[in-house]
Amino acid sequence: MTIWIPTLEDDTPRYRAIADAIASDVAEGRLQPGDRLPTHRELAHALGVTVGTVSRGYAEAERRGLTTGEVGRGTYVRGATSLDPWPEQPTESEIVDLTLSLPVSIPEEATALAETLRQIAGDARIGELLAYHPESADCRQRAAAAKWLGRLGLNTGADDILVTAGSQHGLTVALSTLFAPGQVVLTGELTYPSIKSQARTHGVRLRGVALDDQGICPDAVERACRMEPKPAGLYLVPTLQNPTSGILSEARRRALGRIAEKHDLWIVEDDVHAFLLPDLPAPIATYAPERTLYLSSVAKCLAPGLRTGFIVAPPALRARLLTGIHTTMWMPPPLMVEVTTRWFVDGTADRLIAAKRAETERRQQLAQQILARHAHRCHPLGYQIWLELPEPWHTDEFVTQARKRSVIVIGAGAFSVSRRHVPHAVRLSIGVPSRPALERGLKVLDDILRAQAPPLY
Ligand SMILES: Cc1ncc(COP(=O)(O)O)c(C=O)c1O
């Protein structure tokens, strides 16, 4: 036969369109069992796509049982009897994963990393990055972090900063330093899932307190402080509360600081999202510096792979926290801290944050258009959406229906402190998929909810 050149469907990814074309040409007899398909290079040239796209298309056709291929021998159409009888499973690229709590990633960040690594490679002091740093990071790096955190209103110097491998690491160090097994720590009745697993690991008991649109309610904390056993601490996310996106007002931050002082509570203030938003009230750590351990990280505003975070704590705790850092990993890798430091100092961090904000805002606008008729909570510059499910939906039914249509979301149970308080809601993280995939995924969720009721199975 002459070289087979398919006509590709327009609105499908190229590699899938190639596999689809093989399937329809086999079904309609244009391709016969035993026919040899063009080489990857020939077809790529004929279709004006890359050789990689053709290889992926052929691999997909083989996965569906349409073809068989051997390196060096070519790709052949299989006999009809050998076709895969099972319906097609969604491929990885069709799945829209809205579970991962990650910031929007932008192409500029890879370029910035390459440039910064080149600069570090040319620096005569590069060898210093191979040393142990007993103070968690060197003084210059801690001074840059102090200046960076100063933008939030924290009045700190290099000696007030401890550098961690991210906020999650900071949380481990905080829990093991501040609380003994069996002690009670308060947190929102919906909270960051990692505090639940970390509390279990440390033997700390979590008690959930009420949240409203702003986040933790000081009255609820005050009430919980009068209950036995008395709580020893309060863990909270004051900015873009995970998962409901509340932001504590200045009045609430002050009130929580006062409650901590009155009831001898340690506040663990996990402010990972602060640099995503402009014009925030100052951290609780500025109102109750002796009772607050402030955690920050660049995971959400720059990149989680930098694994760089910071603890600002009262001086009396510093030695014990440093021991906690030494015990868990001695110090975060200096090379990663150095990249972060240079980004703070040379303006890269500001540039990347501005680009991320712009892209996040676009995605939130898209989400608002698609989800407009459904109750949800979010912030125009945040990358999470708390979608409240109307009657008669139960969370697990909705999660299952979404998964059947290749959209993955997290149900409220992951965030609930108590099994008694599990609202019918899911969290959507909009930072990870491409914008077209996000649009597709959100439209699927809208479509499911518009059907008004789950199917009977
Ligand atoms: C509230 C909160 N704290 C901490 C983290 C983890 O931060 P890091 O990657 O710096 O450990 C997350 C990530 O999802 C988070 O949502």
Side-chain angles (χ1 to χ4, degrees), residues 160-164 170 173 293-296 309-313 321 325:
D160 304 308
I161 303 284
L162 293 159
V163 186
T164 62
V173 172
L293 199 146
Y294 183 83
L295 304 180
S296 177
F310 310 100
I311 303 180
V312 180
L321 291 166
I325 293 174

Side-chain angles (χ1 to χ4, degrees), residues 101 165-169 192 235 237 242 270 272-273 297 299-300 304 307-308:
S101 170
S167 252
Q168 182 143 316
H169 178 220
Y192 170 42
Y235 166 82
V237 180
N242 188 353
D270 181 351
V272 275
H273 301 127
S297 157
K300 309 297 171 184
R307 301 313 306 142
T308 304

Side-chain angles (χ1 to χ4, degrees), residues 125-261:
R125 294 165 308 167
I126 187 171
E128 290 172 19
L129 299 175
L130 297 174
Y132 275 128
H133 287 291
E135 293 297 323
S136 75
D138 78 22
C139 183
R140 181 182 50 86
Q141 293 169 333
R142 285 181 287 114
K147 197 159 172 208
W148 178 254
L149 292 170
R151 294 177 177 200
L152 298 173
L154 288 160
N155 186 10
T156 53
D159 290 344
D160 304 308
I161 303 284
L162 293 159
V163 186
T164 62
S167 252
Q168 182 143 316
H169 178 220
L171 193 51
T172 304
V173 172
L175 291 183
S176 60
T177 304
L178 297 177
F179 308 116
Q183 283 191 313
V184 171
V185 171
L186 307 176
T187 187
E189 53 199 2
L190 296 168
T191 193
Y192 170 42
S194 179
I195 182 73
K196 292 178 22 178
S197 51
Q198 294 221 30
R200 269 197 298 277
T201 307
H202 293 282
V204 165
R205 293 155 59 190
L206 285 186
R207 190 185 294 160
V209 294
L211 295 165
D212 63 11
D213 283 352
Q214 275 191 39
I216 291 254
C217 303
D219 293 352
V221 174
E222 182 83 60
R223 274 195 302 279
C225 286
R226 289 198 286 266
M227 285 164 63
E228 291 296 334
K230 286 209 168 310
L234 167 65
Y235 166 82
L236 52 74
V237 180
T239 308
L240 295 179
Q241 199 268 349
N242 188 353
T244 57
S245 296
I247 300 176
L248 293 175
S249 64
E250 182 186 329
R252 280 217 185 166
R253 292 175 191 226
R254 283 183 191 279
L256 288 167
R258 278 195 299 271
I259 293 171
E261 276 159 7

Side-chain angles (χ1 to χ4, degrees), residues 108-138:
E108 294 92 314
E109 60 202 23
T111 322
L113 179 61
E115 174 54 28
T116 305
L117 289 175
R118 261 192 299 275
Q119 288 169 10
I120 294 173
D123 191 321
R125 294 165 308 167
I126 187 171
E128 290 172 19
L129 299 175
L130 297 174
Y132 275 128
H133 287 291
E135 293 297 323
S136 75
D138 78 22

